[in-house]
Each structure stands twice: as C-alpha cells, then as structure tokens.
Amino acid sequence: VIHDTEIFYGGGICTSKPKCTPYGFPNKEIVLGYTDTSKELVDEFLADLKSEYTADKYNLINHNCNHFT
C-alpha cells in the first residue's frame, strides 16, 4: 500500500482501495516504513513494469506476486 492504494500482481498490475482486493481481507499487516516518493514517480515506475507483469507471464515458481512485491 502506497499513497492510499494497494498495488498487486493479479492478471497484470492491479490497484485497489487498501484491504479491498479480490483476495480478501489480510490476515496480518506489517508496516515496512514510509516514503517521500511522489505518487507520480510510483505511477511512472509501475508503468515501466507493466509489460513485464502481465497475466501470460505469470509463473507459479519463477514470476509471481512475490517477485512483483
């Protein structure tokens, strides 16, 4: 979650309101820190990753949501 948006890899790079993804409510939350990175820079970074994290490139072992995170 960054800038009040939850970002995840699920059939491509997806966004949602925090705690409202199709995967349900989280069992646990861990604050990893804070950032001064602007929303615009985060959006630009995600746009650069968009072609790498597509539904057809998902692989359970080598290219999954953990790799995206």
Side-chain angles (χ1 to χ4, degrees):
V1 174
I2 185 168
H3 299 295
D4 296 319
T5 302
E6 188 162 351
I7 305 165
F8 57 98
Y9 179 30
I13 298 175
C14 303
T15 60
S16 174
K17 290 182 184 180
K19 304 177 191 174
C20 295
T21 72
Y23 304 106
F25 199 81
N27 293 326
K28 183 176 181 181
E29 293 180 57
I30 301 171
V31 176
L32 298 177
Y34 300 92
T35 185
D36 291 328
T37 305
S38 69
K39 182 178 181 336
E40 292 77 21
L41 188 57
V42 171
D43 291 344
E44 183 180 321
F45 176 72
L46 293 172
D48 289 345
L49 293 177
K50 189 174 183 176
S51 64
E52 183 177 342
Y53 287 93
T54 60
D56 63 315
K57 291 184 180 178
Y58 183 89
N59 177 284
L60 183 61
I61 304 299
N62 298 316
H63 196 73
N64 60 47
C65 56
N66 293 306
H67 294 92
F68 175 71
T69 303

